[in-house]
């Protein structure tokens, strides 16, 4: 899995996912890990809007692999 190096690319990948997907992983370049976390907030906001929440991440060499899962329905 190639890490995304742009917010737009990561968001496009999330938008392309099937809404019925229960879990997925997204690799994001360390270049997007800004001091305030604004770029990851944009990516996470799109995942939340589509019904997935972050559950963990693993730091790798030059990127982080984020795991998301479907949110529970009320």
């Amino acid at each position: 899995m190639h890490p995304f190096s742009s917010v737009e690319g990561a968001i496009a990948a999330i938008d392309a996912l099937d809404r019925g997907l229960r879990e997925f992983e997204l690799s994001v370049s360390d270049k997007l890990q800004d001091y305030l976390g604004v770029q990851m907030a944009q990516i996470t906001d799109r995942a939340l809007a589509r019904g997935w929440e972050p559950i963990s991440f693993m730091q790798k060499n030059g990127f982080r692999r984020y795991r998301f899962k479907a949110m529970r329905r009320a």
Side-chain angles (χ1 to χ4, degrees):
M1 182 182 302
H2 183 72
F4 290 95
S5 58
S6 75
V7 172
E8 295 81 10
I11 287 174
I14 292 169
D15 286 345
L17 294 172
D18 177 1
R19 282 190 180 264
L21 195 62
R22 296 188 48 96
E23 290 190 9
F24 71 93
E25 293 184 351
L26 187 73
S27 294
V28 177
S29 171
D30 283 345
K31 294 176 186 179
L32 294 181
Q33 306 300 330
D34 60 282
Y35 174 70
L36 295 174
V38 172
Q39 296 182 97
M40 275 310 301
Q42 292 174 311
I43 295 167
T44 303
D45 186 56
R46 182 58 59 101
L48 290 168
R50 299 225 39 231
W52 296 295
E53 61 187 343
I55 55 174
S56 68
F57 76 89
M58 289 189 299
Q59 181 68 49
K60 300 289 187 173
N61 187 18
F63 67 97
R64 288 182 183 176
R65 181 169 294 144
Y66 291 88
R67 291 182 55 224
F68 293 83
K69 70 172 185 166
M71 290 189 268
R72 293 184 193 175
R73 304 283 180 203

